[in-house]
């Protein structure tokens, strides 16, 4: 019964609405009949389209909807918006028509726009600028642009970082002399790519070398390949003539394990001094910075925060004997008496010597590749020594390293790196027995090889 009365109420409402709409329809008919006289041809066309759209809206509002169709209301709204769009897209008639317009058809073909001679965009006789097409840069031009614009270290860092590091070195040197006067440490000195002009992107790290002065009559070097590790990149420093010069004759005997000078024991002793014995807040306040020793690191590291730069300083005890430069950097594992042979000084010296001999671009190529490796998450372990040794190997073959050949040499270095990664072996330029890839995992070698293999055909991917 309730449904019946609801239906009836709807019919009555629709009936009343229908009568009202019929009256409106008659009004629209009268307007259309007199529209041409009042509004003219164009105005009558606009009014007709508008009236048609409104009538459609009224018809859809009064027509019964199919209650079983859930999309009926959506269709009605969409069709209504389409009808209203007819009104918006209809061209508006001008307020006052000209006589010549009445003789033209309603839909006239489009005419090309003719510039108004009264509006002049450029003075007469002025040459017209021609838009030059974009020129594709060659790899040579991209490399030179990348080197000059993206790899440069800010001048403030170039001057501030060495000065700050030397000040910290002086404070550390004074502490060691007062704390350990019996240990003959040499004079601390700075080392790293920044000082050699090979730093790229940012001067945010530098090395501080601490010489360990040994008596050559009490110590001798044992090649790592003659020990249980069988690694020619490491050496052992052995105490000799204990029968004539018993333990205690050398101030470094306290750092021995067995009969060998332990790089691990020396590092642990220095680490305790850096962390617990030196008043770094006072030194930092004196130098206008904040200095924190890195407690959790195996390396001897200091983190320095200045207003203009954040710097990481790594301290390396170094032994120079028999034309070898050995760093207190033991490999991970149980062996703690090994010293790593460093070729950095020889690498930089050889590259600069070769460039000076033929005005070559080896240093420029090295900086570009170091920047690529440093910014790429997969290639960061290839930067520095491995890339330098590849360049030295190529230089030994007599390649042309003039600046005009930079692109060719850059691609050749990529090809050589891929070839060495395929073998998993990169021999050292100064000692072919040493494999510079020996510390890399197989997965790392595969990922690096894949990235560089893709870059062989498109070197621009690395820039």
């Amino acid at each position: 019964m309730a449904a019946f009365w609801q239906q009836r109420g709807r019919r009555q409402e629709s009936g009343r609405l229908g009568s009202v709409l019929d009256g409106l329809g008659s009004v629209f008919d009268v307007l259309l009949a007199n529209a041409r006289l009042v509004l003219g041809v164009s105005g009558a066309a606009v009014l007709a389209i508008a009236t048609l759209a409104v009538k459609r809206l009224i018809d859809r509002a009064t027509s019964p909807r199919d209650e079983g169709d859930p999309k009926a209301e959506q269709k009605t709204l969409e069709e209504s918006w389409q009808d209203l769009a007819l009104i918006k897209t209809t061209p508006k008639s001008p307020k006052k028509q000209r006589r010549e317009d009445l003789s033209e058809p309603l839909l006239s073909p489009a005419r090309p726009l003719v510039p108004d001679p009264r509006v002049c965009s450029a003075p007469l006789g002025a040459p017209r600028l021609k838009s030059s097409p974009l020129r594709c840069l060659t790899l040579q031009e991209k490399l030179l642009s990348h080197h000059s614009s993206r790899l440069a270290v800010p001048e403030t860092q170039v001057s501030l970082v060495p000065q700050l590091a030397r000040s910290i070195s002086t404070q550390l040197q004074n502490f060691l002399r007062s704390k350990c006067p019996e240990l003959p440490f040499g004079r601390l000195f700075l080392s790293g790519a920044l000082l050699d002009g090979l730093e790229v992107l940012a001067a945010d790290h530098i090395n501080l070398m601490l010489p360990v002065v040994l008596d050559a009559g009490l110590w001798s070097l044992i090649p790592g390949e003659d020990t249980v590790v069988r690694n020619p990149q490491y050496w052992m420093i052995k105490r000799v003539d204990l029968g004539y010069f018993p333990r205690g004759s050398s101030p470094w005997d306290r750092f021995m394990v067995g009969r060998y000078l332990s790089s691990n024991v020396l590092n642990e002793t220095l680490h305790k001094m850096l962390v617990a014995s030196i008043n770094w807040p006072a030194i930092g306040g004196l130098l206008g910075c904040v200095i924190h020793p890195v407690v959790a690191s195996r390396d001897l590291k200091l983190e320095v925060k200045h207003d203009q730069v954040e710097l990481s300083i790594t301290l390396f005890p170094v032994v120079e004997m028999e034309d070898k430069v050995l760093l207190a950097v033991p490999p991970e594992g149980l062996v703690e008496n090994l010293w790593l042979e460093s070729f950095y000084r020889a690498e930089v010296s050889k590259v600069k010597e070769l460039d000076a001999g033929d005005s070559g671009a080896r240093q420029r190529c090295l900086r570009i590749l170091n920047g690529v490796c440093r910014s790429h998450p997969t290639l960061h372990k290839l930067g520095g020594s491995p890339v330098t040794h590849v360049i030295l190997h190529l230089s030994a073959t007599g390649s042309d390293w003039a600046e005009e050949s930079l692109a060719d040499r850059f691609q050749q270095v990529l090809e050589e790196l891929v070839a060495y990664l395929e073998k998993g072996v990169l021999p050292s330029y100064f000692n072919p027995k040493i494999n510079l890839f020996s510390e890399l995992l197989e997965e790392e070698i595969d990922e690096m090889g894949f990235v560089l293999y893709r870059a062989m055909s498109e070197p621009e991917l690395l820039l």
Side-chain angles (χ1 to χ4, degrees):
M1 182 65 67
F4 171 76
W5 285 112
Q6 288 178 1
Q7 243 180 5
R8 185 177 180 184
R10 289 175 187 171
R11 289 173 186 170
Q12 291 177 352
E13 290 176 1
S14 62
R16 288 194 296 268
L17 181 60
S19 61
V20 173
L21 295 178
D22 290 339
L24 290 176
S26 60
V27 173
F28 291 146
D29 292 336
V30 174
L31 289 175
L32 289 176
N34 298 281
R36 184 161 185 172
L37 297 176
V38 179
L39 301 177
V41 178
S42 300
V46 174
L47 182 59
I49 294 175
T51 305
L52 178 60
V54 174
K55 277 189 174 183
R56 287 183 182 177
L57 290 174
I58 295 172
D59 292 341
R60 293 193 187 104
T62 57
S63 60
R65 291 181 295 177
D66 187 2
E67 296 183 359
D69 187 4
K71 296 184 179 180
E73 184 176 357
Q74 182 179 358
K75 291 180 181 178
T76 303
L77 292 175
E78 292 177 355
E79 294 172 355
S80 303
W81 283 114
Q82 293 174 1
D83 292 336
L84 290 177
L86 293 175
I87 304 175
K88 294 183 179 180
T89 57
T90 303
K92 295 182 179 180
S93 59
K95 294 183 179 180
K96 185 176 181 181
Q97 291 185 341
R98 296 178 299 176
R99 182 176 302 176
E100 55 268 24
D101 295 338
L102 298 177
S103 60
E104 293 182 358
L106 291 178
L107 297 177
S108 58
R111 292 177 298 178
L113 296 177
V114 179
D116 191 350
R118 293 172 297 179
V119 180
C120 185
S121 58
L124 296 177
R128 299 181 63 86
L129 297 178
K130 295 183 179 180
S131 58
S132 58
L134 294 178
R135 185 170 64 92
C136 295
L137 297 178
T138 63
L139 178 59
Q140 176 83 7
E141 293 170 333
K142 291 180 180 179
L143 289 174
L144 294 176
S145 175
H146 182 80
H147 178 269
S148 60
S149 61
R150 299 188 182 180
L151 299 181
V153 181
E155 290 296 330
T156 55
Q157 296 183 10
V158 173
S159 58
L160 177 60
V161 167
Q163 178 183 354
L164 189 59
R166 288 190 182 96
S167 300
I168 295 175
S169 171
T170 300
Q171 297 296 324
L172 182 58
Q173 186 88 61
N174 295 336
F175 171 82
L176 291 175
R177 286 176 180 175
S178 61
K179 182 72 174 180
C180 310
E182 74 282 2
L183 295 178
F185 286 112
R187 186 173 183 83
L188 286 160
F189 62 93
L190 303 182
S191 177
L194 177 64
L195 302 176
D196 298 311
L198 299 176
E199 187 61 89
V200 292
L201 299 179
D204 54 2
H205 64 282
I206 199 168
N207 298 329
L208 189 57
M209 317 303 289
L210 176 61
V212 176
V213 182
L214 299 178
D215 188 348
L218 300 179
W219 302 92
S220 65
L221 300 182
I222 307 296
E225 54 189 332
D226 296 339
T227 65
V228 293
V229 296
R230 303 298 180 185
N231 191 336
Q233 196 169 1
Y234 290 91
W235 293 74
M236 301 183 77
I237 304 176
K238 184 178 181 181
R239 179 71 157 81
V240 296
D241 293 335
L242 284 175
Y244 295 98
F245 303 98
R247 184 182 292 268
S249 300
S250 172
W252 303 105
D253 287 346
R254 56 186 283 196
F255 301 103
M256 282 198 309
V257 173
R259 295 183 61 179
Y260 299 94
L261 181 62
S262 174
S263 57
N264 191 45
V265 174
L266 179 58
N267 278 337
E268 289 179 353
T269 303
L270 291 174
H271 190 271
K272 292 178 181 178
M273 292 182 183
L274 291 178
V275 173
S277 301
I278 303 179
N279 189 357
W280 291 115
I283 295 177
L286 180 64
L287 301 178
C289 60
V290 178
I291 306 174
H292 292 292
V294 181
V295 179
S297 176
R298 292 179 69 247
D299 300 329
L300 305 175
K301 280 190 175 183
L302 299 174
E303 297 292 341
V304 182
K305 292 185 178 181
H306 190 270
D307 291 340
Q308 303 180 30
V309 69
E310 292 188 4
L311 176 65
S312 175
I313 299 178
T314 305
L315 179 66
F316 289 103
V318 56
V319 171
E320 297 189 34
M321 287 183 63
E322 302 176 10
D323 297 330
K324 301 290 188 299
V325 179
L326 308 178
L327 304 180
V329 184
E332 296 183 4
L334 299 177
V335 182
E336 57 183 17
N337 299 332
L338 296 178
W339 294 69
L340 176 67
E341 184 173 6
S342 172
F343 298 100
Y344 176 77
R345 187 186 303 171
E347 293 166 5
V348 175
S349 176
K350 187 65 176 178
V351 169
K352 291 186 175 182
E353 176 187 345
L354 292 173
D355 272 352
D358 57 7
S359 301
R362 296 172 184 83
Q363 297 177 71
R364 180 170 294 181
C365 184
L366 180 58
R367 280 192 291 267
I368 294 174
L369 288 167
N370 282 341
V372 168
C373 294
R374 182 173 181 180
S375 59
H376 200 288
T378 303
L379 304 177
H380 66 279
K381 289 188 177 181
L382 280 182
S385 187
V387 172
T388 306
H389 283 254
V390 172
I391 291 177
L392 292 176
H393 283 308
L394 284 178
S395 299
T397 62
S399 302
D400 180 16
W401 280 93
E403 183 176 328
E404 295 77 12
S405 303
L406 176 61
D408 295 334
R409 299 289 80 78
F410 181 81
Q411 287 185 301
Q412 192 174 5
V413 171
L414 296 183
E415 294 171 1
E416 292 294 315
L417 276 172
V418 171
Y420 287 127
L421 288 169
E422 286 179 349
K423 299 176 183 178
V425 176
L426 174 57
S428 169
Y429 177 81
F430 302 99
N431 185 358
K433 297 179 181 179
I434 297 176
N435 177 20
L436 299 180
F437 288 163
S438 60
E439 301 295 330
L440 297 178
L441 300 177
E442 185 175 353
E443 295 79 6
E444 294 175 334
I445 292 178
D446 292 340
E447 292 176 358
M448 294 176 185
F450 176 73
V451 172
L452 294 177
Y453 180 78
R454 289 183 57 198
M456 286 172 54
S457 57
E458 294 183 74
E460 294 84 357
L461 294 176
L462 299 176
L463 302 180

